[in-house]
Amino acid sequence: MSGTLVLVRHGQSDWNLKNLFTGWRDPDLTELGVEEAKAGGKALADYGIKFDIAFTSDLVRAQRTCQFVLDAVGQSSLETIRDQALNERDYGDLSGLNKDDAREKWGEEQVHIWRRSYDIPPPGGESLRDTGARVWPYYLTEILPRVLSGQKVLVAAHGNSLRSLVMVLDRLSKEQILKLNLATGVPMVYKLNANSTVASKEVLGDMSGAH
């Protein structure tokens, strides 16, 4: 068996709370989001893991979540690599809009297609497939080699960038990944085999409230 890969979705952001399409915009965590990040960190501390390196996105909500997790496991100063390859899906023209207003402008069915189809992007934005097209190469070149060398790696990122990874790790179909929602602040602990397949997966918390 090789190393360990831990995925954590950032805690609730201000725009999550306001029901806005966020994408590459950069709102901070809410108080609840801070608590979710700290709870995820505590779950990992209780699990007993120590990391060799951390990765996060170019957006502050993921960076702060990453830091809260590292603080909780007693590794506040651990080397952390930030890269926009791990950013949330870009919602393009939807970014900053209230989801109800978007439905009023484009129609509920069209907005649903943009949100829940695999390969149809909103105007000026990315589909889930587009998101995966930047997440997967980064994972293969920067993250996976470290895990396969035996390191314990933390990735704190976003709902859609992490769904792209989970799709590959869990070998999910396009239809299955569209139904998958990840809870904020709940760590997923993957142990990988030497051939990069998953040896085991543990979810340290409750995914039932995922959105």
Side-chain angles (χ1 to χ4, degrees):
M1 188 182 296
S2 295
T4 303
L5 174 67
V6 175
L7 308 180
V8 183
R9 182 184 176 193
H10 67 78
Q12 182 192 65
S13 75
D14 291 329
W15 284 22
N16 291 146
L17 181 62
K18 295 173 182 174
N19 200 34
L20 305 179
F21 286 101
T22 310
W24 283 41
R25 303 289 180 88
D26 207 16
D28 205 345
L29 297 175
T30 61
E31 287 184 22
L32 173 60
V34 170
E35 292 308 310
E36 288 174 335
K38 289 180 176 178
K42 183 181 184 303
L44 287 165
D46 293 344
Y47 186 77
I49 194 169
K50 291 290 183 183
F51 294 103
D52 295 292
I53 194 167
F55 290 86
T56 188
S57 78
D58 207 29
L59 300 169
V60 69
R61 58 193 185 273
Q63 293 170 8
R64 291 195 70 207
T65 296
C66 186
Q67 192 59 55
F68 282 125
V69 169
L70 293 177
D71 291 346
V73 298
Q75 294 185 280
S76 298
S77 58
L78 185 71
E79 179 187 0
T80 301
I81 298 173
R82 299 174 178 178
D83 199 290
Q84 69 178 26
L86 295 173
N87 277 15
E88 178 57 293
R89 173 184 169 193
D90 184 355
Y91 277 104
D93 292 354
L94 299 182
S95 299
L97 289 180
N98 182 284
K99 292 174 183 175
D100 292 330
D101 292 341
R103 292 185 190 100
E104 193 170 309
K105 181 173 181 177
W106 282 290
E108 183 157 354
E109 184 177 351
Q110 181 62 66
V111 172
H112 181 76
I113 289 170
W114 287 331
R115 291 189 69 193
R116 289 302 181 192
S117 67
Y118 179 71
D119 52 10
I120 302 174
E126 295 177 309
S127 65
L128 183 58
R129 183 178 66 182
D130 296 330
T131 307
R134 59 175 162 81
V135 172
W136 296 325
Y138 187 77
Y139 170 71
L140 290 171
T141 58
E142 303 298 327
I143 298 173
L144 182 60
R146 296 172 187 270
V147 180
L148 295 183
S149 74
Q151 292 188 357
K152 295 178 175 65
V153 179
L154 170 66
V155 178
H158 306 265
N160 285 299
S161 53
L162 292 178
R163 284 165 83 207
S164 299
L165 286 180
V166 170
M167 182 179 184
V168 172
L169 290 163
D170 291 1
R171 299 187 174 189
L172 301 179
S173 68
K174 291 185 289 186
E175 292 72 30
Q176 289 172 315
I177 195 61
L178 293 174
K179 296 173 184 173
L180 176 72
N181 292 304
L182 305 178
T184 44
V186 176
M188 295 172 285
V189 181
Y190 287 90
K191 293 189 172 151
L192 301 189
N193 296 310
N195 65 356
S196 79
T197 59
V198 175
S200 67
K201 176 185 179 181
E202 292 180 73
V203 178
L204 307 183
D206 182 9
M207 280 287 184
S208 63
H211 55 85

